[in-house]
Amino acid sequence: MAGALNVRDLGGLPTTGNEVTRYGRLIRSGGLQELTVEDVKHLTVQLGVQEVIDLRSSVEVRREGPGPLARSGRVRVHNLSLLAESAPVQGRVDVDSAMPWHRASQDGRPKPAGTTGHYLRYCAERPDSVVAALRIIAHSQGATVVHCAMGKDRTGVVCALALETVGVSREAIVADYMRSGEEMAEVVERLRDNPSYAADIRARPFDSMLPRPAFMNDLLYAFDDRFGGIQKWLSEQGWTADDQRALSSSLIG
């Protein structure tokens, strides 16, 4: 599309049960603020998008606006921030902090939490948003778009958890996450001139914004290590058997 970067359909991904995810159900993307009229038509008419999950903070939405899709009258936009709204961070793409979780390396020494702890923080601070996002994907009658600013971190976590929940192989989840790196240069260049993100972008080396396989691998491992798996964690947040059946039917059935 002309007005969005880091966009892809999450169909065709293999599961551990020798199935594949359906096309036209879950689409991930970077920011949608610059969609053209043709982009909106492509998403809503050709692809049948009915739900948009906007993971940006209230500060971002207030500064940038809801975007052209919200004005189309064809979709429902759900603002589900993954950041703690009680202390919004001004002008940053994400919160630069980490939870105290460490995975032991092969030599037995703990690996620093880094970005994995950063991803865990989303789930610890906003489990309500994570579960709400998965429910929207599960119960939508059409396609759902999940996006944030870059389409890498917040979007990557929600999409990875949705895929993990329905049994997509971890190799496929990590491989999809890594695809965001192919477009990071263009994404960063676009955000560099945006007043909402410029200070954060310019303060960080480009290399620090690239995905690494360990970031996503360790996140999924952390759910096993801390919570006994994603299914158990979700159930503790109110996720039901009906939700699970609906998500599996939406993405796999």
Side-chain angles (χ1 to χ4, degrees), residues 134-135 138-139 161-162 164-167 230-231 234 239-250:
L134 266 57
R135 280 201 176 111
H139 297 284
L161 296 184
E164 170 84 353
T165 302
V166 299
I230 182 62
Q231 294 280 1
L234 282 171
W239 184 255
T240 68
D242 286 342
D243 290 328
Q244 183 59 40
R245 282 191 291 270
L247 185 63
S248 295
S249 177
S250 176

Side-chain angles (χ1 to χ4, degrees), residues 175-216:
D176 172 72
Y177 169 72
M178 290 299 296
R179 286 183 63 188
S180 290
E182 300 168 9
E183 297 200 44
M184 271 304 101
E186 196 171 355
V187 170
V188 168
E189 189 60 33
R190 180 172 292 188
L191 292 179
R192 190 187 304 277
D193 296 324
N194 185 313
S196 295
Y197 306 108
D200 186 32
I201 291 292
R202 293 171 182 170
R204 301 165 59 190
F206 175 73
D207 192 60
S208 73
M209 292 179 259
L210 293 174
R212 300 281 188 271
F215 298 162
M216 187 55 66

Side-chain angles (χ1 to χ4, degrees), residues 54-98:
D54 183 349
L55 301 175
R56 295 175 301 158
S57 69
S58 60
V59 173
E60 292 170 275
V61 174
R62 187 165 62 248
R63 287 182 173 183
E64 299 294 304
L69 271 178
R71 299 190 291 269
S72 72
R74 294 175 177 268
V75 302
R76 289 176 290 273
V77 178
H78 310 266
N79 296 117
L80 299 173
S81 173
L82 293 190
L83 307 183
E85 295 293 309
S86 59
V89 178
Q90 301 293 323
R92 295 187 65 84
V93 175
D94 266 325
V95 176
D96 186 17
S97 56

Side-chain angles (χ1 to χ4, degrees), residues 107-184:
D107 61 8
R109 292 180 298 181
K111 297 165 66 175
T115 296
T116 296
H118 182 56
Y119 290 172
L120 275 170
R121 192 177 182 93
Y122 300 150
C123 302
E125 293 190 339
R126 296 308 303 266
D128 56 327
S129 289
V130 174
V131 172
L134 266 57
R135 280 201 176 111
I136 291 164
I137 297 166
H139 297 284
S140 174
Q141 298 304 303
T144 300
V145 174
V146 180
H147 82 96
C148 53
M150 287 185 165
K152 173 175 68 77
D153 299 314
R154 291 170 285 185
T155 297
V157 168
V158 167
C159 289
L161 296 184
L163 297 173
E164 170 84 353
T165 302
V166 299
V168 172
S169 74
R170 290 191 174 179
E171 292 82 1
I173 293 172
V174 172
D176 172 72
Y177 169 72
M178 290 299 296
R179 286 183 63 188
S180 290
E182 300 168 9
E183 297 200 44
M184 271 304 101

